[in-house]
Amino acid sequence: MAIRLHLGGRAGIALLHDTIMAAISFPLALYLRLGAQAFPWQTSGYLWLGTAIFTVVAATVFVASGFYRGVWRYASLRDMIEIGRAVAIIMLLFLPALFLFNRLEGLPRSTLVINAFVLLFLLGAPRFAYRIWKDGGLDHLLERSHGGRASVLLIGAGDAAELFLRDMARGTTAPYRVVGLIDPSGQRVGRRIQGVPVSGPLEAAAAVIDRLVAKGDAPQRLIVTDDGLDGATIAQLLDLAESKGLTLARLPRLTELKPGARSDRLAVRPIALEDVLGRPRHVLDRTPVERLVAGRRLLVTGAGGSIGAELCRQIAALAPARLTLLDHSESLLHAIATELAAKHPKLALATELCDLRDRGRLERAVGSALPEILFHAAALKHVPVCERHPDEAVLTNVVGTRHLAAAAIKSGARAMVVISTDKAVQPESILGATKKLAESYCQALDRSGGPGATRFVAVRFGNVLGSSGSVVPLFQEQIAAGGPVTVTDAAMTRFFMTTEEAVELVLQASAPALAGEARGKVLVLEMGRPVRILDLARQMIRLSGRQPDRDIAIAFTGLRPGEKLTEMLFAPDENPAPTAVTGVLQAEPRAASLHELETGIDRLAAAAREGRAGLLVETLTALVPDFRPQGPYASHRLPGQAAS
């Protein structure tokens, strides 16, 4: 096999250096073994012969292996391994070569072992001395000897931290070097996990960082491994990281790992908005959901929206017999259908471009799909838009829901699950009132049904981070544009949940609700504590790497018609009760007559189609007694209704 030489420039100098070092190593090894006896006149011929043979063998191996082409500026453990391999080959070739000339007469066998170590030193030491000189000192070299790994301090001293430490110890390619652990419980302070000290409790994290900096082992990042920390604690850690000039990241929570998805278990992720504002998520039992979905025909309305699309994603992963996507937006419908087809090529997937207001078209679409379970996520959901266009809100949120319910009954569907909102509780907006009426209508349908009749279940929850109706996308756009970020009122609060968790709980709650006999209930997702919108804005600015009020201004615009300072998940008379599903409660709103609702919705639909806003609001107020119209509609309150 031909050996191609690359002896130009520094590579040639490196080869010359290594050859000289090989020539020096053999007589030096003899001297170390025999002392001055290695150099009398009578042995000089043997000495020069052995040196010449060793040098030729070494130079040949250097050229063949090509390790002399390594860049000394970046000498590392890998280079030492290459040198060791070259030295081993040299010794294996030198021994038979010398034997051919003098049968190793007068050569102590231990000289070969000494020669190997001497050559290792002569080849390796200059390389690392050069790197130390170029890097400006030994301390910097020691830092780089970790393979360029970032030094990190772990927040957590449990199973996840131990797993992370073991993973980082598996090889030199690990991206992080753990310099300490913080134990939020404080119970393991002073102990060691995988040889790494548990340096202090959470309240002493700042002092631990200062100590590490003082001893030259400063962390570059904090990594949260404890998935039990709440949003307030994560916010404090974010403050600490910013004050110390560090970044904050976390490992995935167990609830974020899908079955069989082991590859991303230790993938470090940036801190996201839901980490700061959220609360520990419940680990859910997927078995009831799998029984609900697997092998069944399902249909999702509003399939292209934020909630509808996530419903489709989670349903598609549970092997339904068929999944029908229904939406009135061509582009959104195409986008989610394309995504699901790529991820689940064996899924029986159908699409229906359809407007809920068109009863005939809707009945044909549902009749064609013959779904066993329908998830109704389609709705108008922006408060200001619905205030300006109450007729559109009524026709979509109320009349569209009634059309879908009729189509579900006509097609013999087993159940229909309606997605509701906390704005339906003591509503002050057109949006909230229409969603409350849709809730009441489905509740009345469910109560009126006999054995084997289609079940109707409403699931109510608050804002979803990142949804089209959320302030989050607006804030993201405003931050990207440099501000200001607009907040309606400093005291405004809202409930927040991630889209993924909301949909998981909707599916989890639907399974036992559809199997049980209790009718006419409304399921309500536990949303944790409400979050101030001002705090949300500030945290989003900080997560973007900027400072609120310094880099990005915050402007207050005042409440708009229909908006409330605070939202509620339950009306005072709804008597919340626990369910069999952790994270889901049950409400029993005031019962309404199905006949009265049908008649009232007919009047409401007529007013909407005729564009008679005043009559529409009066009719809506009669159907939803706790509705308190605001702004231009306040004059249409029924006699005896007071402003909120």
Side-chain angles (χ1 to χ4, degrees):
M1 179 178 65
I3 299 174
R4 297 181 62 186
L5 297 179
H6 300 270
L7 300 180
R10 295 187 179 184
I13 296 174
L15 178 59
L16 178 62
H17 166 273
D18 294 341
T19 303
I20 293 173
M21 291 299 104
I24 293 172
S25 69
F26 182 73
L28 183 57
L30 274 174
Y31 178 79
L32 292 174
R33 173 63 179 83
L34 300 174
Q37 297 178 11
F39 298 100
W41 175 83
Q42 63 267 27
T43 62
S44 61
Y46 168 77
L47 176 64
W48 292 114
L49 175 64
T51 300
I53 294 173
F54 188 84
T55 303
V56 171
V57 170
T60 303
V61 172
F62 294 153
V63 172
S65 65
F67 86 94
Y68 64 89
R69 293 195 297 266
V71 180
W72 287 27
R73 173 69 176 80
Y74 303 114
S76 65
L77 180 61
R78 185 180 297 276
D79 293 296
M80 284 303 300
I81 294 173
E82 290 294 323
I83 291 173
R85 184 169 63 181
V87 169
I89 294 172
I90 290 169
M91 303 315 298
L92 290 174
L93 295 177
F94 172 65
L95 185 63
L98 188 61
F99 182 83
L100 291 175
F101 284 91
N102 67 352
R103 297 184 177 275
L104 304 180
E105 292 180 4
L107 179 69
R109 305 302 186 262
S110 58
T111 304
L112 298 176
V113 177
I114 296 172
N115 196 173
F117 283 104
V118 169
L119 184 56
L120 273 173
F121 176 80
L122 292 177
L123 295 178
R127 284 169 163 80
F128 282 92
Y130 180 79
R131 179 172 176 179
I132 292 172
W133 174 65
K134 293 295 289 185
D135 283 347
L138 185 59
D139 289 342
H140 195 64
L141 174 66
L142 291 175
E143 179 181 342
R144 287 175 174 263
S145 70
H146 297 293
R149 294 187 290 173
S151 300
V152 298
L153 179 66
L154 301 188
I155 309 300
D159 292 344
E162 194 272 340
L163 182 64
F164 184 83
L165 286 167
R166 280 195 284 118
D167 194 66
M168 293 302 104
R170 285 176 182 169
T172 58
T173 59
Y176 301 107
R177 179 175 66 93
V178 181
V179 297
L181 298 98
I182 296 293
D183 182 13
S185 70
Q187 297 177 354
R188 295 179 174 176
V189 174
R191 302 173 68 181
R192 287 178 175 267
I193 299 176
Q194 295 288 330
V196 179
V198 181
S199 306
L202 195 59
E203 55 269 22
V208 170
I209 294 171
D210 292 340
R211 288 200 301 269
L212 289 170
V213 171
K215 71 181 220 177
D217 217 0
Q220 299 165 264
R221 172 177 283 191
L222 305 181
I223 297 180
V224 177
T225 64
D226 187 339
D227 63 5
L229 301 182
D230 59 18
T233 303
I234 297 294
Q236 292 173 3
L237 288 171
L238 186 61
D239 290 336
L240 173 63
E242 287 182 352
S243 69
K244 299 296 183 182
L246 310 177
T247 58
L248 183 65
R250 68 172 179 86
L251 297 185
R253 297 186 181 93
L254 293 177
T255 50
E256 296 173 334
L257 299 177
K258 300 303 180 185
R262 301 177 62 87
S263 61
D264 65 343
R265 184 174 184 130
L266 296 175
V268 175
R269 303 178 183 179
I271 291 295
L273 181 61
E274 54 265 32
D275 298 313
V276 180
L277 301 179
R279 69 272 189 261
R281 287 168 55 174
H282 303 289
V283 179
L284 302 177
D285 179 9
R286 294 172 61 87
T287 304
V289 179
E290 290 172 352
R291 286 199 298 262
L292 174 73
V293 173
R296 288 204 168 101
R297 300 181 304 277
L298 289 95
L299 181 147
V300 178
T301 71
S306 49
I307 296 294
E310 183 61 26
L311 270 167
C312 293
R313 293 185 189 103
Q314 295 194 24
I315 289 171
L318 296 172
R322 184 179 187 182
L323 176 59
T324 301
L325 317 178
L326 189 148
D327 204 294
H328 78 289
S329 168
E330 176 193 15
S331 58
L332 293 179
L333 185 63
H334 174 72
I336 186 61
T338 302
E339 175 188 333
L340 294 180
K343 290 182 179 179
H344 306 279
K346 296 182 180 179
L347 175 66
L349 194 65
T351 59
E352 292 287 352
L353 186 63
C354 178
D355 192 330
L356 297 175
R357 304 174 185 186
D358 187 340
R359 181 168 184 168
R361 171 72 183 94
L362 182 62
E363 286 187 353
R364 290 193 300 274
V366 175
S368 173
L370 287 177
E372 297 172 73
I373 301 173
L374 299 87
F375 286 92
H376 180 34
L380 298 185
K381 59 185 69 173
H382 292 268
V383 169
V385 173
C386 292
E387 290 296 304
R388 290 194 297 270
H389 305 282
D391 48 352
E392 299 296 315
V394 164
L395 292 173
T396 296
N397 295 351
V398 179
V399 178
T401 299
R402 183 168 71 162
H403 287 170
L404 185 65
I409 294 172
K410 184 176 181 179
S411 67
R414 180 184 175 191
M416 173 172 153
V417 179
V418 180
I419 304 299
S420 190
T421 171
D422 57 356
K423 293 176 176 58
V425 180
Q426 294 188 329
E428 295 183 9
S429 64
I430 297 294
L431 167 61
T434 56
K435 295 298 285 184
K436 175 60 177 179
L437 183 53
E439 263 190 24
S440 299
Y441 181 70
C442 290
Q443 180 190 9
L445 281 175
D446 197 44
R447 282 182 170 157
S448 66
T454 302
R455 293 297 312 274
F456 293 90
V457 176
V459 183
R460 182 193 299 166
F461 51 90
N463 288 33
V464 172
L465 288 173
S467 72
S468 59
S470 169
V471 297
V472 172
L474 173 63
F475 285 174
Q476 289 172 332
E477 292 175 4
Q478 292 174 335
I479 292 170
V485 172
T486 56
V487 176
T488 51
D489 192 285
M492 176 178 277
T493 64
R494 289 293 183 268
F495 294 102
F496 283 99
M497 179 180 283
T498 67
T499 308
E500 182 182 0
E501 184 181 8
V503 169
E504 284 178 350
L505 285 171
V506 167
L507 293 172
Q508 195 83 20
S510 301
L514 298 178
E517 291 301 321
R519 291 180 173 270
K521 310 292 185 182
V522 173
L523 301 176
V524 183
L525 306 188
E526 285 185 333
M527 300 291 298
R529 292 176 297 183
V531 175
R532 278 205 317 165
I533 300 299
L534 177 59
D535 293 338
L536 175 74
R538 291 184 179 279
Q539 295 292 15
M540 289 187 65
I541 293 171
R542 294 169 67 210
L543 288 173
S544 73
R546 284 165 281 189
Q547 291 296 319
D549 303 318
R550 187 187 71 186
D551 303 319
I552 301 288
I554 297 177
F556 297 98
T557 59
L559 286 175
R560 295 170 294 185
E563 287 186 324
K564 295 191 289 186
L565 278 179
T566 60
E567 300 283 7
M568 298 183 295
L569 292 169
F570 296 92
D573 60 347
E574 286 189 330
N575 303 318
T579 68
V581 179
T582 303
V584 179
L585 299 174
Q586 183 175 268
E588 189 169 359
R590 180 183 58 85
S593 163
L594 179 59
H595 175 71
E596 291 178 0
L597 288 174
E598 291 277 12
T599 304
I601 291 174
D602 285 338
R603 294 197 302 271
L604 186 65
R609 292 189 179 102
E610 294 168 6
R612 301 174 63 184
L615 177 60
L616 180 152
V617 174
E618 290 176 5
T619 306
L620 188 57
T621 306
L623 293 169
V624 184
D626 55 355
F627 174 38
R628 299 293 185 270
Q630 302 296 312
Y633 307 122
S635 60
H636 297 287
R637 293 192 184 103
L638 294 181
Q641 280 192 329
S644 57

